[in-house]
Amino acid sequence: MKVIAAAGETLDRYCDAPAGRVRINVLEDAVELLLKPVMPVFVDRYPEVAIDISVSNRMIDVVGSGFDAGIRYGGTVPEDMIAQRLSPDLRWIAAASPTYLTRFGAPSSPQDLQNHRCVGIRLGNNQVYQWEFERDGNECAIATPGPLTVDGSQAAIAFGLCGAGIVYATEAALSPHLDSGALQPILEDWASAGSGFHAYYSGRRHLPTGLRLLIDLIKEVQPLRS
C-alpha cells in the first residue's frame, strides 16, 4: 500500500506540474536581451514545458504560421493582437569603432551621417529603415548612405566592430561593446526612445499555460529594467 500511495503522490505532482509545448517567433534582439537571462530560470522551474523558439526579424502572421505568440517591438505589433509589455522603452543610439572614427571623424549632427558610411537596417517589411533622432523636442529621420545593409542587429554590430561603418541599435544591444571601448557612441544627445519588447498573441485562442508562465517570468526577472 505504501508503494501505491507513493506512486499516487508522484502522479499527482506530475499532473499538477505545468507541461506542454509552446511555439514562439521572436526578434533576434529579444533572444539576447530578454530570453537569455530568463531561460535558465524557466527550464529549472518548469522542466516539463518545452519552448520552441523561431528567430526571425521579418514580420509574419504568427497565428497563420502555427505559432502561439510573437515577441516584437511594441510599435510593430499587429493591431488585432493582444499585446503585453515585456520591457521598458529602449534607447536607440549610433556608434562606431575607434578605427572608423580615426579614419573618418565623428558626425556632429544627424544630417552629417549622409557624408559617412552607415550600415543600413532592412526591416521585416523589407523597407530600409531611416534612423530616428530626437533632441529637445526636435525629431528627424535620416536616410543613411553606405554600401552595407543588413536585416539583423548582430550583423550590423559585427560590421561596426570591424570599422566598416557607423551602426544604429538599441543601447542595450550595444552595451557590452560600449563598455569595452570596442564601439564609441556618437550623437549621444540625439538618442531617441523606441517602444520596448512586447509579447503578442491572438485573443481568439486559449492562452497556453507555458506561454503565460514565460511572460510572467520575464516580468518577474525584468532583464531590461531601467
Side-chain angles (χ1 to χ4, degrees):
M1 293 296 293
K2 291 182 179 180
V3 174
I4 295 175
E9 290 176 2
T10 300
L11 181 60
D12 288 342
R13 286 197 300 270
Y14 178 81
C15 291
D16 291 341
R21 178 176 297 275
V22 177
R23 296 192 69 218
I24 58 175
N25 185 279
V26 306
L27 283 174
E28 176 188 30
D29 279 353
V31 175
E32 181 71 20
L33 300 178
L34 277 186
L35 299 183
K36 181 179 174 181
V38 166
M39 279 306 171
V41 180
F42 189 91
V43 298
D44 280 345
R45 190 178 293 184
Y46 309 113
E48 300 301 325
V49 178
I51 306 292
D52 189 337
I53 301 168
S54 176
V55 182
S56 173
N57 293 325
R58 299 194 66 83
M59 293 300 297
I60 66 167
D61 176 359
V62 291
V63 174
S65 299
F67 295 100
D68 296 297
I71 297 179
R72 293 287 185 276
Y73 296 119
T76 62
V77 172
E79 294 182 357
D80 61 342
M81 292 286 183
I82 295 175
Q84 292 201 42
R85 177 181 284 272
L86 301 179
S87 81
D89 288 346
L90 300 171
R91 193 168 181 255
W92 289 77
I93 63 171
S97 70
T99 301
Y100 179 91
L101 295 174
T102 298
R103 290 187 63 193
F104 301 106
S108 58
S109 71
Q111 288 72 24
D112 285 348
L113 289 169
Q114 295 175 349
N115 300 315
H116 280 265
R117 297 174 182 175
C118 299
V119 181
I121 303 169
R122 188 170 298 281
L123 299 173
N125 60 8
N126 214 34
Q127 294 181 351
V128 177
Y129 176 64
Q130 293 189 356
W131 296 6
E132 297 179 79
F133 297 93
E134 180 181 354
R135 186 179 69 177
D136 300 330
N138 296 315
E139 300 178 1
C140 61
I142 305 297
T144 50
L148 298 173
T149 302
V150 299
D151 65 358
S153 62
Q154 295 308 308
I157 291 171
F159 290 134
L161 289 169
C162 70
I166 297 173
V167 297
Y168 182 86
T170 65
E171 189 173 34
L174 294 171
S175 180
H177 310 294
L178 298 174
D179 292 344
S180 71
L183 290 175
Q184 296 180 7
I186 59 176
L187 301 171
E188 279 193 278
D189 55 342
W190 280 95
S192 66
S195 183
F197 291 112
H198 287 65
Y200 65 98
Y201 48 87
S202 173
R204 301 185 183 93
R205 291 185 175 183
H206 172 71
L207 183 66
T209 299
L211 177 58
R212 176 180 56 79
L213 294 172
L214 177 60
I215 291 173
D216 288 347
L217 184 58
I218 292 173
K219 292 180 178 180
E220 175 188 332
V221 174
Q222 300 181 56
L224 283 167
R225 59 182 173 270
S226 54

